[in-house]
Amino acid sequence: MKTKSLCLLFGLFYSLISSAQYTLKTPDGHTVQLHTNGTWEYVSANTASTMELSKEQTLKYASKNKRFTVEYDPLLWAFDTVNKDEGFQWDALFHSRDLELTAFCFETRLMLPLEKEDLESYMREQYSAIGKLVSLSSKKETINGMVLTQVDVELEVTGIPYIYRGYIYSDHLGSFQFWASTQKTVFLQDEKRILKLINSVRKA
């Protein structure tokens, strides 16, 4: 089942290309539609309005169990709360405006292995099911006061190299994962933008 989940996540990366607009719910419960020209509008009839998004605006996403938050720039990232695909669920999916980057996070009450060797073995098994595993490494990082495990994965799928970078947090209350992925060349070109998003994770 875990292998199937990661395969679905990889397949999901390709499905993002088909949509140019996104509908999402804001933290205060409003439904809005994001447009590719950098504007958004309320979908609700009683609060309908349109405005240009400010470059300084930052939105905040709270994870499923409200233990973690992620901050993102709506000019750079569209946020999707449609979180079910053939039985697999994630908390949130972020698409870059050019549709070339994908990031996703999910929280569960289940713990993940904490020891480096055990965690890498677990991740190696999962990602080997997606494509040819070129490299996998992990290290401890402190982000916003949280000690996380950073995992870097390089895969080849149909001869195309991909990079996945993820942060994993696990304790006795469960675990949280936040991953970003795209083709290797794009990842290296846009690494700064990717890191700004995934480095925004913090405890609520």
Side-chain angles (χ1 to χ4, degrees):
M1 180 176 175
K2 292 172 183 173
T3 298
K4 179 182 177 185
S5 298
L6 280 174
C7 289
L8 288 171
L9 285 173
F10 185 76
L12 181 63
F13 170 75
Y14 291 101
S15 72
L16 304 179
I17 308 302
S18 61
S19 177
Q21 295 185 350
Y22 304 94
T23 301
L24 57 89
K25 279 198 177 292
T26 63
D28 58 0
H30 294 297
T31 301
V32 299
Q33 187 171 39
L34 299 177
H35 303 285
T36 55
N37 65 359
T39 64
W40 62 270
E41 62 181 322
Y42 285 107
V43 175
S44 174
N46 61 349
T47 55
S49 66
T50 303
M51 65 180 292
E52 187 172 343
L53 292 170
S54 165
K55 289 183 179 179
E56 292 75 31
Q57 185 171 4
T58 299
L59 300 181
K60 187 177 288 188
Y61 161 76
S63 64
K64 179 174 63 178
N65 296 328
K66 311 301 182 189
R67 295 184 63 204
F68 306 92
T69 62
V70 172
E71 293 182 354
Y72 64 98
D73 182 346
L75 274 181
L76 300 178
W77 298 93
F79 169 69
D80 192 349
T81 56
V82 179
N83 64 346
K84 188 178 256 188
D85 186 358
E86 298 182 17
F88 179 72
Q89 295 187 0
W90 55 90
D91 292 349
L93 189 65
F94 299 87
H95 319 277
S96 64
R97 287 293 178 181
D98 56 15
L99 300 178
E100 294 175 350
L101 308 173
T102 306
F104 49 88
C105 61
F106 45 97
E107 183 182 4
T108 174
R109 291 178 296 164
L110 302 175
M111 296 176 62
L112 286 175
L114 293 175
E115 296 298 325
K116 177 182 173 70
E117 187 175 316
D118 294 336
L119 180 62
E120 287 188 3
S121 175
Y122 171 79
M123 289 295 165
R124 200 177 303 277
E125 178 184 345
Q126 303 307 308
Y127 277 98
S128 293
I130 298 175
K132 178 183 176 183
L133 185 61
V134 177
S135 65
L136 187 150
S137 62
S138 68
K139 63 180 180 178
K140 294 293 184 184
E141 287 284 354
T142 300
I143 306 293
N144 299 318
M146 297 170 55
V147 178
L148 304 165
T149 301
Q150 175 183 316
V151 181
D152 288 292
V153 180
E154 183 176 343
L155 290 175
E156 277 189 15
V157 181
T158 62
I160 301 173
Y162 288 83
I163 288 183
Y164 286 74
R165 174 167 293 173
Y167 287 143
I168 298 173
Y169 180 87
S170 185
D171 62 16
H172 68 285
L173 295 177
S175 60
F176 178 79
Q177 297 187 52
F178 194 14
W179 291 89
S181 68
T182 187
Q183 293 182 7
K184 182 177 181 178
T185 301
V186 179
F187 190 99
L188 296 176
Q189 290 172 345
D190 283 3
E191 188 169 8
K192 186 175 181 180
R193 179 163 46 146
I194 293 168
L195 291 181
K196 184 175 180 181
L197 176 68
I198 63 177
N199 285 354
S200 73
V201 65
R202 65 183 69 236
K203 281 191 175 181

mmCIF file of all heavy atoms in Angstrom, residues 97-139:
data_model
loop_
_atom_site.group_PDB
_atom_site.id
_atom_site.type_symbol
_atom_site.label_atom_id
_atom_site.label_comp_id
_atom_site.label_asym_id
_atom_site.label_seq_id
_atom_site.Cartn_x
_atom_site.Cartn_y
_atom_site.Cartn_z
ATOM 1 N N ARG A 97 3.296 28.367 -10.328
ATOM 2 C CA ARG A 97 2.469 29.042 -11.335
ATOM 3 C C ARG A 97 2.797 28.604 -12.756
ATOM 4 O O ARG A 97 1.938 28.635 -13.628
ATOM 5 C CB ARG A 97 2.640 30.564 -11.216
ATOM 6 C CG ARG A 97 1.958 31.138 -9.988
ATOM 7 C CD ARG A 97 0.476 31.007 -10.114
ATOM 8 N NE ARG A 97 -0.202 31.506 -8.934
ATOM 9 C CZ ARG A 97 -1.513 31.481 -8.803
ATOM 10 N NH1 ARG A 97 -2.271 30.990 -9.762
ATOM 11 N NH2 ARG A 97 -2.077 31.943 -7.709
ATOM 12 N N ASP A 98 4.046 28.201 -12.996
ATOM 13 C CA ASP A 98 4.397 27.721 -14.331
ATOM 14 C C ASP A 98 4.109 26.228 -14.491
ATOM 15 O O ASP A 98 4.408 25.637 -15.522
ATOM 16 C CB ASP A 98 5.871 28.016 -14.649
ATOM 17 C CG ASP A 98 6.816 27.424 -13.611
ATOM 18 O OD1 ASP A 98 6.384 26.567 -12.810
ATOM 19 O OD2 ASP A 98 7.990 27.820 -13.595
ATOM 20 N N LEU A 99 3.559 25.611 -13.449
ATOM 21 C CA LEU A 99 3.164 24.200 -13.456
ATOM 22 C C LEU A 99 4.349 23.246 -13.623
ATOM 23 O O LEU A 99 4.168 22.102 -14.034
ATOM 24 C CB LEU A 99 2.123 23.935 -14.559
ATOM 25 C CG LEU A 99 0.821 24.731 -14.445
ATOM 26 C CD1 LEU A 99 -0.086 24.419 -15.626
ATOM 27 C CD2 LEU A 99 0.109 24.432 -13.135
ATOM 28 N N GLU A 100 5.537 23.699 -13.273
ATOM 29 C CA GLU A 100 6.716 22.858 -13.438
ATOM 30 C C GLU A 100 7.234 22.301 -12.115
ATOM 31 O O GLU A 100 8.093 21.423 -12.109
ATOM 32 C CB GLU A 100 7.826 23.649 -14.138
ATOM 33 C CG GLU A 100 7.461 24.016 -15.568
ATOM 34 C CD GLU A 100 8.497 24.894 -16.247
ATOM 35 O OE1 GLU A 100 9.419 25.396 -15.564
ATOM 36 O OE2 GLU A 100 8.373 25.089 -17.467
ATOM 37 N N LEU A 101 6.718 22.802 -10.993
ATOM 38 C CA LEU A 101 7.138 22.341 -9.669
ATOM 39 C C LEU A 101 5.929 21.852 -8.895
ATOM 40 O O LEU A 101 4.844 22.421 -9.001
ATOM 41 C CB LEU A 101 7.808 23.473 -8.883
ATOM 42 C CG LEU A 101 8.955 24.229 -9.552
ATOM 43 C CD1 LEU A 101 9.361 25.408 -8.688
ATOM 44 C CD2 LEU A 101 10.127 23.312 -9.803
ATOM 45 N N THR A 102 6.137 20.822 -8.114
ATOM 46 C CA THR A 102 5.075 20.275 -7.278
ATOM 47 C C THR A 102 5.603 20.077 -5.863
ATOM 48 O O THR A 102 6.734 19.632 -5.684
ATOM 49 C CB THR A 102 4.610 18.901 -7.804
ATOM 50 O OG1 THR A 102 4.249 19.014 -9.170
ATOM 51 C CG2 THR A 102 3.404 18.406 -7.012
ATOM 52 N N ALA A 103 4.794 20.413 -4.882
ATOM 53 C CA ALA A 103 5.146 20.123 -3.489
ATOM 54 C C ALA A 103 3.899 19.586 -2.798
ATOM 55 O O ALA A 103 2.779 20.002 -3.118
ATOM 56 C CB ALA A 103 5.656 21.375 -2.780
ATOM 57 N N PHE A 104 4.081 18.661 -1.899
ATOM 58 C CA PHE A 104 2.934 18.079 -1.203
ATOM 59 C C PHE A 104 3.324 17.727 0.218
ATOM 60 O O PHE A 104 4.487 17.439 0.513
ATOM 61 C CB PHE A 104 2.413 16.837 -1.940
ATOM 62 C CG PHE A 104 3.472 15.843 -2.318
ATOM 63 C CD1 PHE A 104 3.857 14.843 -1.440
ATOM 64 C CD2 PHE A 104 4.092 15.916 -3.554
ATOM 65 C CE1 PHE A 104 4.831 13.925 -1.783
ATOM 66 C CE2 PHE A 104 5.075 15.007 -3.915
ATOM 67 C CZ PHE A 104 5.449 14.011 -3.027
ATOM 68 N N CYS A 105 2.345 17.790 1.113
ATOM 69 C CA CYS A 105 2.612 17.445 2.502
ATOM 70 C C CYS A 105 1.472 16.617 3.063
ATOM 71 O O CYS A 105 0.329 16.706 2.593
ATOM 72 C CB CYS A 105 2.857 18.689 3.350
ATOM 73 S SG CYS A 105 1.494 19.840 3.423
ATOM 74 N N PHE A 106 1.806 15.803 4.029
ATOM 75 C CA PHE A 106 0.772 15.026 4.705
ATOM 76 C C PHE A 106 1.221 14.696 6.124
ATOM 77 O O PHE A 106 2.403 14.560 6.406
ATOM 78 C CB PHE A 106 0.403 13.758 3.931
ATOM 79 C CG PHE A 106 1.555 12.952 3.408
ATOM 80 C CD1 PHE A 106 2.036 11.862 4.109
ATOM 81 C CD2 PHE A 106 2.135 13.278 2.195
ATOM 82 C CE1 PHE A 106 3.086 11.113 3.615
ATOM 83 C CE2 PHE A 106 3.190 12.528 1.689
ATOM 84 C CZ PHE A 106 3.668 11.445 2.409
ATOM 85 N N GLU A 107 0.234 14.626 6.983
ATOM 86 C CA GLU A 107 0.456 14.363 8.398
ATOM 87 C C GLU A 107 -0.313 13.120 8.790
ATOM 88 O O GLU A 107 -1.428 12.892 8.320
ATOM 89 C CB GLU A 107 -0.013 15.564 9.222
ATOM 90 C CG GLU A 107 0.231 15.422 10.704
ATOM 91 C CD GLU A 107 -0.304 16.614 11.493
ATOM 92 O OE1 GLU A 107 -0.924 17.515 10.895
ATOM 93 O OE2 GLU A 107 -0.106 16.633 12.715
ATOM 94 N N THR A 108 0.262 12.309 9.645
ATOM 95 C CA THR A 108 -0.393 11.098 10.108
ATOM 96 C C THR A 108 -0.047 10.869 11.573
ATOM 97 O O THR A 108 0.960 11.381 12.070
ATOM 98 C CB THR A 108 0.035 9.873 9.271
ATOM 99 O OG1 THR A 108 -0.523 8.674 9.833
ATOM 100 C CG2 THR A 108 1.553 9.739 9.239
ATOM 101 N N ARG A 109 -0.881 10.099 12.248
ATOM 102 C CA ARG A 109 -0.592 9.753 13.641
ATOM 103 C C ARG A 109 0.424 8.616 13.741
ATOM 104 O O ARG A 109 0.838 8.248 14.833
ATOM 105 C CB ARG A 109 -1.883 9.380 14.359
ATOM 106 C CG ARG A 109 -2.827 10.567 14.569
ATOM 107 C CD ARG A 109 -4.115 10.154 15.228
ATOM 108 N NE ARG A 109 -4.861 9.252 14.368
ATOM 109 C CZ ARG A 109 -5.870 8.489 14.768
ATOM 110 N NH1 ARG A 109 -6.245 8.514 16.039
ATOM 111 N NH2 ARG A 109 -6.501 7.699 13.924
ATOM 112 N N LEU A 110 0.837 8.058 12.592
ATOM 113 C CA LEU A 110 1.819 6.979 12.575
ATOM 114 C C LEU A 110 3.233 7.545 12.559
ATOM 115 O O LEU A 110 3.519 8.505 11.846
ATOM 116 C CB LEU A 110 1.609 6.094 11.343
ATOM 117 C CG LEU A 110 0.231 5.444 11.214
ATOM 118 C CD1 LEU A 110 0.127 4.696 9.898
ATOM 119 C CD2 LEU A 110 -0.029 4.510 12.393
ATOM 120 N N MET A 111 4.118 6.961 13.340
ATOM 121 C CA MET A 111 5.515 7.386 13.385
ATOM 122 C C MET A 111 6.292 6.795 12.215
ATOM 123 O O MET A 111 5.890 5.784 11.636
ATOM 124 C CB MET A 111 6.155 6.940 14.703
ATOM 125 C CG MET A 111 5.571 7.565 15.950
ATOM 126 S SD MET A 111 6.314 6.875 17.453
ATOM 127 C CE MET A 111 8.025 7.334 17.241
ATOM 128 N N LEU A 112 7.400 7.425 11.874
ATOM 129 C CA LEU A 112 8.350 6.885 10.909
ATOM 130 C C LEU A 112 9.650 6.548 11.644
ATOM 131 O O LEU A 112 9.900 7.077 12.728
ATOM 132 C CB LEU A 112 8.628 7.904 9.806
ATOM 133 C CG LEU A 112 7.509 8.091 8.777
ATOM 134 C CD1 LEU A 112 7.872 9.217 7.818
ATOM 135 C CD2 LEU A 112 7.254 6.811 8.000
ATOM 136 N N PRO A 113 10.468 5.656 11.073
ATOM 137 C CA PRO A 113 11.747 5.326 11.729
ATOM 138 C C PRO A 113 12.587 6.576 11.955
ATOM 139 O O PRO A 113 12.673 7.439 11.082
ATOM 140 C CB PRO A 113 12.426 4.384 10.721
ATOM 141 C CG PRO A 113 11.338 3.876 9.850
ATOM 142 C CD PRO A 113 10.299 4.945 9.799
ATOM 143 N N LEU A 114 13.213 6.677 13.111
ATOM 144 C CA LEU A 114 13.992 7.859 13.448
ATOM 145 C C LEU A 114 15.479 7.684 13.166
ATOM 146 O O LEU A 114 16.181 8.654 12.908
ATOM 147 C CB LEU A 114 13.781 8.219 14.921
ATOM 148 C CG LEU A 114 12.372 8.687 15.295
ATOM 149 C CD1 LEU A 114 12.265 8.898 16.801
ATOM 150 C CD2 LEU A 114 12.016 9.965 14.570
ATOM 151 N N GLU A 115 15.973 6.448 13.223
ATOM 152 C CA GLU A 115 17.387 6.205 12.972
ATOM 153 C C GLU A 115 17.688 6.371 11.487
ATOM 154 O O GLU A 115 16.921 5.936 10.626
ATOM 155 C CB GLU A 115 17.785 4.804 13.440
ATOM 156 C CG GLU A 115 17.659 4.599 14.939
ATOM 157 C CD GLU A 115 18.574 5.526 15.724
ATOM 158 O OE1 GLU A 115 19.686 5.810 15.246
ATOM 159 O OE2 GLU A 115 18.164 5.964 16.820
ATOM 160 N N LYS A 116 18.824 6.988 11.178
ATOM 161 C CA LYS A 116 19.211 7.291 9.802
ATOM 162 C C LYS A 116 19.173 6.046 8.907
ATOM 163 O O LYS A 116 18.580 6.054 7.825
ATOM 164 C CB LYS A 116 20.612 7.903 9.797
ATOM 165 C CG LYS A 116 21.179 8.203 8.410
ATOM 166 C CD LYS A 116 22.585 8.771 8.519
ATOM 167 C CE LYS A 116 23.252 8.934 7.174
ATOM 168 N NZ LYS A 116 22.663 10.001 6.361
ATOM 169 N N GLU A 117 19.777 4.964 9.348
ATOM 170 C CA GLU A 117 19.847 3.752 8.534
ATOM 171 C C GLU A 117 18.462 3.182 8.272
ATOM 172 O O GLU A 117 18.146 2.764 7.153
ATOM 173 C CB GLU A 117 20.734 2.713 9.230
ATOM 174 C CG GLU A 117 20.999 1.480 8.395
ATOM 175 C CD GLU A 117 21.982 0.534 9.070
ATOM 176 O OE1 GLU A 117 23.010 1.005 9.606
ATOM 177 O OE2 GLU A 117 21.723 -0.673 9.051
ATOM 178 N N ASP A 118 17.619 3.165 9.299
ATOM 179 C CA ASP A 118 16.270 2.612 9.154
ATOM 180 C C ASP A 118 15.420 3.475 8.228
ATOM 181 O O ASP A 118 14.681 2.960 7.382
ATOM 182 C CB ASP A 118 15.593 2.500 10.528
ATOM 183 C CG ASP A 118 16.268 1.488 11.430
ATOM 184 O OD1 ASP A 118 16.924 0.570 10.895
ATOM 185 O OD2 ASP A 118 16.153 1.624 12.653
ATOM 186 N N LEU A 119 15.514 4.805 8.400
ATOM 187 C CA LEU A 119 14.722 5.711 7.570
ATOM 188 C C LEU A 119 15.154 5.620 6.108
ATOM 189 O O LEU A 119 14.311 5.552 5.202
ATOM 190 C CB LEU A 119 14.853 7.146 8.071
ATOM 191 C CG LEU A 119 14.063 8.193 7.279
ATOM 192 C CD1 LEU A 119 12.569 7.919 7.342
ATOM 193 C CD2 LEU A 119 14.363 9.600 7.787
ATOM 194 N N GLU A 120 16.453 5.612 5.855
ATOM 195 C CA GLU A 120 16.937 5.533 4.479
ATOM 196 C C GLU A 120 16.535 4.211 3.823
ATOM 197 O O GLU A 120 16.192 4.173 2.641
ATOM 198 C CB GLU A 120 18.455 5.721 4.433
ATOM 199 C CG GLU A 120 18.879 7.151 4.693
ATOM 200 C CD GLU A 120 20.367 7.370 4.453
ATOM 201 O OE1 GLU A 120 21.051 6.415 4.027
ATOM 202 O OE2 GLU A 120 20.840 8.503 4.680
ATOM 203 N N SER A 121 16.575 3.138 4.582
ATOM 204 C CA SER A 121 16.155 1.840 4.049
ATOM 205 C C SER A 121 14.680 1.858 3.670
ATOM 206 O O SER A 121 14.279 1.363 2.606
ATOM 207 C CB SER A 121 16.423 0.746 5.083
ATOM 208 O OG SER A 121 15.931 -0.493 4.637
ATOM 209 N N TYR A 122 13.875 2.456 4.538
ATOM 210 C CA TYR A 122 12.436 2.579 4.282
ATOM 211 C C TYR A 122 12.182 3.409 3.026
ATOM 212 O O TYR A 122 11.411 3.033 2.149
ATOM 213 C CB TYR A 122 11.776 3.223 5.504
ATOM 214 C CG TYR A 122 10.335 3.622 5.317
ATOM 215 C CD1 TYR A 122 9.313 2.683 5.389
ATOM 216 C CD2 TYR A 122 9.984 4.953 5.081
ATOM 217 C CE1 TYR A 122 7.988 3.048 5.218
ATOM 218 C CE2 TYR A 122 8.670 5.321 4.906
ATOM 219 C CZ TYR A 122 7.673 4.366 4.986
ATOM 220 O OH TYR A 122 6.370 4.742 4.800
ATOM 221 N N MET A 123 12.854 4.563 2.904
ATOM 222 C CA MET A 123 12.666 5.435 1.757
ATOM 223 C C MET A 123 13.198 4.803 0.467
ATOM 224 O O MET A 123 12.612 4.946 -0.606
ATOM 225 C CB MET A 123 13.366 6.782 1.991
ATOM 226 C CG MET A 123 12.684 7.635 3.033
ATOM 227 S SD MET A 123 11.031 8.129 2.476
ATOM 228 C CE MET A 123 10.326 8.707 4.012
ATOM 229 N N ARG A 124 14.313 4.089 0.576
ATOM 230 C CA ARG A 124 14.889 3.427 -0.594
ATOM 231 C C ARG A 124 13.898 2.421 -1.178
ATOM 232 O O ARG A 124 13.722 2.316 -2.398
ATOM 233 C CB ARG A 124 16.194 2.734 -0.193
ATOM 234 C CG ARG A 124 17.132 2.423 -1.342
ATOM 235 C CD ARG A 124 18.421 1.812 -0.796
ATOM 236 N NE ARG A 124 19.078 2.671 0.173
ATOM 237 C CZ ARG A 124 19.880 3.677 -0.141
ATOM 238 N NH1 ARG A 124 20.117 3.950 -1.412
ATOM 239 N NH2 ARG A 124 20.438 4.409 0.802
ATOM 240 N N GLU A 125 13.244 1.689 -0.299
ATOM 241 C CA GLU A 125 12.254 0.700 -0.746
ATOM 242 C C GLU A 125 11.087 1.373 -1.460
ATOM 243 O O GLU A 125 10.628 0.897 -2.506
ATOM 244 C CB GLU A 125 11.749 -0.093 0.463
ATOM 245 C CG GLU A 125 10.683 -1.114 0.126
ATOM 246 C CD GLU A 125 10.142 -1.810 1.361
ATOM 247 O OE1 GLU A 125 10.773 -1.715 2.441
ATOM 248 O OE2 GLU A 125 9.075 -2.437 1.250
ATOM 249 N N GLN A 126 10.617 2.496 -0.911
ATOM 250 C CA GLN A 126 9.473 3.183 -1.494
ATOM 251 C C GLN A 126 9.813 3.774 -2.861
ATOM 252 O O GLN A 126 9.070 3.602 -3.834
ATOM 253 C CB GLN A 126 8.985 4.301 -0.554
ATOM 254 C CG GLN A 126 8.619 3.851 0.844
ATOM 255 C CD GLN A 126 7.628 2.700 0.854
ATOM 256 O OE1 GLN A 126 6.585 2.766 0.229
ATOM 257 N NE2 GLN A 126 7.972 1.630 1.538
ATOM 258 N N TYR A 127 10.926 4.468 -2.954
ATOM 259 C CA TYR A 127 11.248 5.165 -4.199
ATOM 260 C C TYR A 127 11.738 4.225 -5.293
ATOM 261 O O TYR A 127 11.608 4.529 -6.479
ATOM 262 C CB TYR A 127 12.256 6.287 -3.932
ATOM 263 C CG TYR A 127 11.579 7.532 -3.443
ATOM 264 C CD1 TYR A 127 11.529 7.835 -2.081
ATOM 265 C CD2 TYR A 127 10.940 8.395 -4.332
ATOM 266 C CE1 TYR A 127 10.875 8.974 -1.625
ATOM 267 C CE2 TYR A 127 10.294 9.528 -3.879
ATOM 268 C CZ TYR A 127 10.261 9.816 -2.533
ATOM 269 O OH TYR A 127 9.602 10.932 -2.075
ATOM 270 N N SER A 128 12.277 3.077 -4.923
ATOM 271 C CA SER A 128 12.703 2.104 -5.935
ATOM 272 C C SER A 128 11.508 1.576 -6.721
ATOM 273 O O SER A 128 11.665 1.084 -7.843
ATOM 274 C CB SER A 128 13.452 0.940 -5.271
ATOM 275 O OG SER A 128 14.676 1.386 -4.737
ATOM 276 N N ALA A 129 10.336 1.693 -6.141
ATOM 277 C CA ALA A 129 9.130 1.227 -6.826
ATOM 278 C C ALA A 129 8.674 2.207 -7.913
ATOM 279 O O ALA A 129 7.854 1.860 -8.768
ATOM 280 C CB ALA A 129 8.004 1.013 -5.817
ATOM 281 N N ILE A 130 9.197 3.438 -7.888
ATOM 282 C CA ILE A 130 8.779 4.459 -8.847
ATOM 283 C C ILE A 130 9.659 4.450 -10.087
ATOM 284 O O ILE A 130 9.184 4.581 -11.214
ATOM 285 C CB ILE A 130 8.809 5.855 -8.189
ATOM 286 C CG1 ILE A 130 7.835 5.907 -7.011
ATOM 287 C CG2 ILE A 130 8.474 6.935 -9.208
ATOM 288 C CD1 ILE A 130 7.888 7.204 -6.239
ATOM 289 N N GLY A 131 10.976 4.310 -9.880
ATOM 290 C CA GLY A 131 11.905 4.351 -11.007
ATOM 291 C C GLY A 131 13.267 3.848 -10.574
ATOM 292 O O GLY A 131 13.420 3.252 -9.513
ATOM 293 N N LYS A 132 14.259 4.095 -11.404
ATOM 294 C CA LYS A 132 15.616 3.684 -11.087
ATOM 295 C C LYS A 132 16.208 4.664 -10.076
ATOM 296 O O LYS A 132 16.350 5.851 -10.345
ATOM 297 C CB LYS A 132 16.470 3.678 -12.358
ATOM 298 C CG LYS A 132 17.924 3.304 -12.123
ATOM 299 C CD LYS A 132 18.720 3.400 -13.398
ATOM 300 C CE LYS A 132 20.209 3.128 -13.133
ATOM 301 N NZ LYS A 132 21.016 3.293 -14.361
ATOM 302 N N LEU A 133 16.529 4.141 -8.901
ATOM 303 C CA LEU A 133 17.064 4.976 -7.831
ATOM 304 C C LEU A 133 18.532 5.265 -8.102
ATOM 305 O O LEU A 133 19.370 4.362 -8.099
ATOM 306 C CB LEU A 133 16.896 4.275 -6.480
ATOM 307 C CG LEU A 133 17.300 5.060 -5.245
ATOM 308 C CD1 LEU A 133 16.484 6.329 -5.109
ATOM 309 C CD2 LEU A 133 17.146 4.192 -3.996
ATOM 310 N N VAL A 134 18.863 6.532 -8.343
ATOM 311 C CA VAL A 134 20.241 6.944 -8.618
ATOM 312 C C VAL A 134 20.973 7.229 -7.314
ATOM 313 O O VAL A 134 22.104 6.796 -7.112
ATOM 314 C CB VAL A 134 20.267 8.183 -9.538
ATOM 315 C CG1 VAL A 134 21.698 8.660 -9.764
ATOM 316 C CG2 VAL A 134 19.589 7.877 -10.865
ATOM 317 N N SER A 135 20.330 7.956 -6.413
ATOM 318 C CA SER A 135 20.954 8.261 -5.123
ATOM 319 C C SER A 135 19.885 8.593 -4.098
ATOM 320 O O SER A 135 18.781 9.037 -4.447
ATOM 321 C CB SER A 135 21.937 9.430 -5.250
ATOM 322 O OG SER A 135 21.250 10.617 -5.600
ATOM 323 N N LEU A 136 20.223 8.363 -2.832
ATOM 324 C CA LEU A 136 19.338 8.716 -1.719
ATOM 325 C C LEU A 136 20.221 9.012 -0.517
ATOM 326 O O LEU A 136 21.104 8.223 -0.177
ATOM 327 C CB LEU A 136 18.360 7.582 -1.404
ATOM 328 C CG LEU A 136 17.271 7.889 -0.364
ATOM 329 C CD1 LEU A 136 16.005 7.089 -0.646
ATOM 330 C CD2 LEU A 136 17.750 7.579 1.056
ATOM 331 N N SER A 137 19.996 10.148 0.103
ATOM 332 C CA SER A 137 20.771 10.508 1.287
ATOM 333 C C SER A 137 19.879 11.268 2.261
ATOM 334 O O SER A 137 18.851 11.833 1.873
ATOM 335 C CB SER A 137 21.984 11.369 0.911
ATOM 336 O OG SER A 137 21.562 12.592 0.327
ATOM 337 N N SER A 138 20.288 11.275 3.515
ATOM 338 C CA SER A 138 19.515 11.998 4.527
ATOM 339 C C SER A 138 20.469 12.645 5.524
ATOM 340 O O SER A 138 21.599 12.196 5.708
ATOM 341 C CB SER A 138 18.544 11.063 5.254
ATOM 342 O OG SER A 138 19.243 10.134 6.053
ATOM 343 N N LYS A 139 19.987 13.715 6.150
ATOM 344 C CA LYS A 139 20.768 14.388 7.189
ATOM 345 C C LYS A 139 19.808 15.168 8.075
ATOM 346 O O LYS A 139 18.689 15.500 7.667
ATOM 347 C CB LYS A 139 21.813 15.318 6.583
ATOM 348 C CG LYS A 139 21.240 16.466 5.762
ATOM 349 C CD LYS A 139 22.348 17.331 5.189
ATOM 350 C CE LYS A 139 21.791 18.489 4.369
ATOM 351 N NZ LYS A 139 22.858 19.355 3.844
#
